[in-house]
Amino acid sequence: MWKFLGVPLKKPSEVDVVKPLNNLIQSTYNGATEEEKGKYAEAVNEFSKQRNTAIWKFFEKYEASLEIVYAYYDQICALETKISVSELQIPFKWKDAFDKGSIFGGKISLTHTSLLYEKVCVLFNIAALQSSIAANQQLDSDEGLKLAIKLLQQSAGIFQYLKGATPAAVPSEPTPDLSQDTLTVLQALMVAQAQEVFILKAIKDNMKDQIIAKLCCQAEEFYADVLRAMQKESVRSLWEKEWIPNIAGKQAGFHALTQLYQSLVCRASKKIGEEIARLRNAIELFKAAQSRGGNETYLDEYFSRAKRNLAESTKDNEFIYNEIIPDLSTLASPGKAQLAKPLPIGVPLAANFKDIFSSLVPVELHRALTASDMRRNEIVNVEIMKLRESTQTLNAVLASLNLPAAVETADGNSGLPPSLKDKAVEVRQKGGIENVQTMLKDLPELLNRNREILDETDRLLDEERDSDNQLRAQFKERWTRISSDKLTEMFRTNAKKYREVITNAIEADKVVRQKFEANQKGIQLLSLPPDQIQQSLPSASGSVDPNCSSVQRLKKLMDDVETIKAEREAVESELKSATFDMKDEFLIALQKDGAIDEPALSLARIGQVLNPLQQQVRESVERQQSLVADIQSAHGDFVSETGSCGSSRDTLYQELATAYDSYIELSGNLLEGTKFYNDLTQLLVVFQNKISDFVFARKTEKEELLKDLTTESSRQACPATPALPSHYTSTSGSGSDIPPGSAPSVPPVASTANIPYPAQVHGMPIPYGAQPGVPYPSYVPAPMPQSFNPYATLQYPGTAYQYQGFPQGPPPGHYGTYPGSYANQQGGYPNQKPPGW
């Protein structure tokens, strides 16, 4: 007896989510360990399995399916907080829920590369599944009634949420099932059906007649709103053929139930005249409900009860009460009671949801942590550069003074000074000049590899843009998807930044190569064995007294130099290892304020950790200034006392000292350069993968849109037949002027294009209670045979019925309408179904 409508499902398509999601997680969490990467990959595979299971569980319309699809929706919600949703390039494809297809094949569908679009489509199907499960409940039990009420209200809440969420998730024109008008109808329909179930429960619980009458009055209004919304121009062709008759029947049915239960209230208070008026109207409305709904047994139990009560009350009134039957328009409304309403979406929906991406932190937290690490690294690098620049300045001063080699030869030993021996040994241990030359040779290859990757990404973007522009020029306004230039703006910006990084790296490579060429001779000499270096030394010009005061002072100062260098190495190591975990602090801020003030929080913690080390750097730089002054003064005394300055051996010692310092610096620079290019390669590969995913998604989207446009063109009607030439047309009407062999002229077929919907020729009912003169919904009947006129005019000139052509009242099978004050409606229902029902 109580039939409910279930919303059809959107049809999903399987898609590879593993590769794009892995690429995005890899680029977002690029500092992850191998173990963490393995966990991420495992979670992605599990997510893919979860989707493949959930999207087909929608079609198993059992209550047990809800938990599975709820869990998938919850996982989408959890995932979108941990990745940059706009960067995920997966071509999700969903077909329209209401499209029936055609003989030309294909259904209306939309492919969009957005996790938000997937979320919207999954939510739609959850609401549709809830409506279908509610429609299949056993409504003779409290459990079935309660579950149906819950699911219908939840479904209404989802459709209400989708009205706001869909425009943000689908920037282009959505499929018809996600249009605002469709979602409005579905939300209203779910609320109306939930109100209907509340009425069933109220009747089952034997609630007061007055309350049931108010509930029915509200349901009648809900179904009237649904019926009007369903017949809007934009959505009227979507519905299954039985939907509008079903809704029209229910509107009349609940109008009838309102009158029936309010008549019971009148009977209890002995208002016999009003009871009879309401029962008469209820009987006509029950007939209309059965006729409109196409179900002769619809509400038959209540219909019979109304007829019995009318017969009893009429008899009692005739023999006992003799009350005047009031006009329906004078009767007060029983009032309305709304119990059904949309329920907000709860998070999570699943009772036992478990986040498979629990190891990933929220994306806002991850960005704050990344920014904090970059801020710390910038400050640390500045302090390390201060130390290194100071050390380079100190080495340059020592090399220009031939220190410490000058004081090491003061004992008259003609061999290689010990400090130079140690430097030569270190150079050979590090691979000598061959190691530097190999790394210099590898740099161009590493550079070209990165250039090729970046060139390939530009090529992919250019090809995709050119293809889009070509099709946009071909289809013009029908090419509705977002232009490539808007979508690739971030990609282009990042590619430009990578180009700038490579340009800067090329300049750095030039500086390194120039420095190597300037010190190549000394580095090559230091790479030789000690005896060969000794043979290359010029003869000594004389000996120096090792006990003179200037020599002793310089030796002490050289010890101070080694001490300050060792201290700097220690400070640099502490700076590099100075780490701190901001995760807990950021999480507290995120939970408290809903946002993270990363600069303020990071700088405060950085100050606490790095201030002592920064102070040591400042002290070391300041101490070097006095140390250099002392060295220069002592060296001046040394030259004055010994006269040892400017020999060819001293000049070579200076060159070797400078070559050693350059070698150490070049080795570090080349190692950093090699690491930089290798790290850049990994970044560019991830960048290329993201662009490849984007291009593939756009290609899929393009193919789907082309398919839809082609199908649309196939469905278009043929153009009108050209008019016959004038010399083929008979002017006499006799046909005598028609050329031999020609067909006579055919009168034009009457067009039905101007008949407003729902016209009788379409087999669709007009809304119950439609008022004459109201622009929407309009109705103009099509011409009917004289023997069939279900839309005869009904009039109410006072308290008595008058029917056009029947002075004594309406004949059997015809009826009037109830223009009561609470409904304020006029019109009527036909007693026969239009053709095509």
Side-chain angles (χ1 to χ4, degrees), residues 395 398-421 423 522 525-526 533-534 536-542 644 646-661:
N395 289 335
L398 294 177
S400 66
L401 301 178
N402 192 26
L403 293 175
V407 295
E408 289 174 344
T409 59
D411 56 359
N413 186 0
S414 60
L416 192 66
S419 62
L420 287 179
K421 285 183 180 179
K423 291 177 180 178
L525 190 57
L526 287 174
I533 298 177
Q534 182 67 37
S536 302
L537 295 177
S539 58
S541 58
S644 175
S647 67
S648 58
R649 176 170 285 203
D650 291 340
T651 302
L652 182 57
Y653 288 164
Q654 293 175 7
E655 291 179 3
L656 293 177
T658 302
Y660 168 79
D661 293 336

Side-chain angles (χ1 to χ4, degrees), residues 428-487:
R428 287 196 299 274
Q429 288 176 346
K430 291 181 178 294
I433 193 172
E434 292 84 3
N435 184 50
V436 174
Q437 289 174 331
T438 300
M439 287 191 288
L440 281 172
K441 182 181 178 181
D442 291 341
L443 285 182
E445 296 180 6
L446 298 174
L447 170 64
N448 289 333
R449 181 177 65 189
N450 288 314
R451 273 178 169 169
E452 290 172 358
I453 296 174
L454 199 53
D455 290 341
E456 177 63 14
T457 60
D458 286 342
R459 185 191 66 80
L460 290 173
L461 290 175
D462 290 342
E463 285 186 356
E464 196 282 326
R465 178 199 60 199
D466 294 343
S467 174
D468 183 68
N469 290 341
Q470 179 183 356
L471 291 170
R472 192 176 302 279
Q474 178 181 349
F475 291 101
K476 296 182 170 51
E477 68 278 354
R478 291 196 296 159
W479 194 251
T480 55
R481 72 172 184 169
I482 302 174
S483 66
S484 297
D485 290 335
K486 291 182 180 179
L487 293 178

Side-chain angles (χ1 to χ4, degrees), residues 19-41:
K19 180 176 176 290
L21 189 52
N22 269 329
N23 289 337
L24 181 58
I25 292 177
Q26 183 181 351
S27 65
T28 304
Y29 299 88
N30 49 23
T33 63
E34 290 301 321
E35 182 180 358
E36 290 173 334
K37 290 179 180 179
K39 290 182 179 179
Y40 298 160

